Amino acid sequence: MSVMSNPAYGEVLSEGKAKTLYITDDPQRLILHFRDDTTAFDGAKRASLSGKGTLNNRFNAFIMRHLEQAGVPTHFERLLNNQDSLVHRLDMLAVEFVVRNIAAGSLCKRLGFESGLELRPPLQELFLKDDERGDPLIYDQHAIRLGLATQEQLHRGAELALRVNELLMPLMADAGMLLVDYKLEFGMDDGGELLLGDEFTPDGCRLWDTKSRESLDKDRFRQGLGGVVESYRIAAKRLGVEGVVAEE
Ligand code: ADP
Ligand code: UDP
């Protein structure tokens, strides 16, 4: 397949809670389709939010390009259309790397951290990617003993997750937002390199307006605050994400 030609959509490889992966005529490339579906609490709360797929696809492309330019290896190749991106096929690690700059969400519920407490240096956590078990917090040793990742992969993932923080904290700050926390997923490409996969969007991070501390992320959906897509759009426009217009 030449780089510029449009890939042929093949069968559905997987349909997750918010995205669908399609195989293509190139075995090393997949089409990542961002749907309007949104879920919270491991799938217990669901809705379809018009325009979310397009916003997240464009938001993700913007962030992945920014990271790639700064030397973070990612699966992102290019935008195909409003809701689809071409990515490198990865063998995903079934763990989630979370980085926290400010205490929020499960950290407060689980361990009693005061919401809004600054975490310096940032706190890193590992979760098992398993909705049926409620994505529990795990140690590296659990992931290794379960055969989900090697020590080296976990070390590299944690290193890249922190590098992402160094790059995105100032980017968000310049756009008037606090990067509170985020979740990353990594996978191995066919050459044995660990790449950042999945997505970086307001579905998988917390972004607060710097002044008001208002949420511009999926907490609006989790907490039933409304204005979910509108908030994602505000965040995208502040960052200068291309193709984000007032009405989508
Ligand atoms: P979930 O699995 O949480 O319901 P999504 O609806 O977001 O997730 O679906 C995306 C799925 O695709 C996730 O399981 C993710 O690990 C996987 N994935 C993301 N990027 C890639 C990739 N480049 N290659 C293979 N799988 C990927
Ligand atoms: N997160 C995610 N997917 C998950 C769990 C968490 O994208 O399955 C993100 C979440 O949006 C937040 C960060 O990871 O930005 C930390 O989430 P937390 O552990 O506080 O859990 P939550 O409050 O989402 O239950």
Side-chain angles (χ1 to χ4, degrees):
M1 189 178 79
S2 86
V3 176
M4 292 316 290
S5 71
N6 271 334
Y9 285 65
E11 284 173 17
V12 170
L13 177 67
S14 68
E15 184 159 294
K17 295 188 293 297
K19 303 190 293 298
T20 305
L21 279 171
Y22 294 89
I23 56 172
T24 69
D25 42 359
D26 180 338
Q28 296 312 325
R29 289 186 173 79
L30 299 172
I31 292 167
L32 187 61
H33 174 72
F34 289 77
R35 306 198 312 271
D36 284 345
D37 300 326
T38 192
T39 70
F41 312 119
D42 299 314
K45 181 174 179 180
R46 291 167 183 270
S48 176
L49 301 172
S50 178
K52 196 204 70 157
T54 297
L55 267 167
N56 275 3
N57 185 38
R58 293 190 173 279
F59 196 107
N60 180 62
F62 177 87
I63 298 290
M64 291 281 171
R65 283 181 188 137
H66 184 83
L67 296 175
E68 193 81 54
Q69 278 165 14
V72 175
T74 82
H75 69 157
F76 181 79
E77 196 157 298
R78 64 187 160 97
L79 274 175
L80 292 174
N81 55 51
N82 267 348
Q83 285 183 245
D84 297 344
S85 286
L86 190 66
V87 299
H88 288 277
R89 184 176 190 151
L90 300 179
D91 185 9
M92 300 300 289
L93 307 184
V95 291
E96 301 181 336
F97 293 77
V98 167
V99 177
R100 301 177 184 274
N101 295 308
I102 298 176
S106 76
L107 187 67
C108 303
K109 268 185 238 133
R110 203 177 53 237
L111 296 174
F113 275 74
E114 183 195 336
S115 175
L117 183 76
E118 262 198 52
L119 304 164
R120 286 279 172 276
L123 188 64
Q124 287 193 271
E125 295 177 332
L126 196 66
F127 292 86
L128 183 64
K129 194 170 154 58
D130 184 340
D131 283 339
E132 282 178 19
R133 293 188 163 82
D135 288 351
L137 182 71
I138 57 172
Y139 294 155
D140 284 18
Q141 283 295 312
H142 292 129
I144 294 166
R145 302 286 172 96
L146 283 167
L148 302 178
T150 63
Q151 183 89 69
E152 292 70 33
Q153 288 168 333
L154 294 173
H155 183 264
R156 178 69 176 148
E159 182 180 65
L160 288 173
L162 271 190
R163 178 73 186 127
V164 166
N165 203 38
E166 287 166 9
L167 294 165
L168 297 190
M169 275 224 302
L171 186 80
M172 300 302 175
D174 287 349
M177 297 182 287
L178 294 167
L179 179 58
V180 174
D181 59 28
Y182 55 90
K183 180 266 302 179
L184 302 179
E185 292 184 31
F186 294 91
M188 303 296 285
D189 69 6
D190 59 331
E193 192 188 357
L194 196 74
L195 306 188
L196 176 61
D198 205 49
E199 66 180 298
F200 193 104
T201 71
D203 267 2
C205 73
R206 287 192 170 90
L207 288 174
W208 292 353
D209 176 82
T210 307
K211 283 199 189 120
S212 68
R213 298 212 149 200
E214 193 187 0
S215 293
L216 299 171
D217 56 63
K218 196 158 94 174
D219 269 350
R220 300 200 72 85
F221 176 69
R222 293 188 189 97
Q223 298 169 13
L225 299 174
V228 182
V229 177
E230 290 73 12
S231 298
Y232 288 24
R233 185 172 290 123
I234 289 169
K237 284 173 88 172
R238 284 189 187 180
L239 286 166
V241 174
E242 279 171 32
V244 174
V245 289
E247 301 299 332
E248 259 162 359

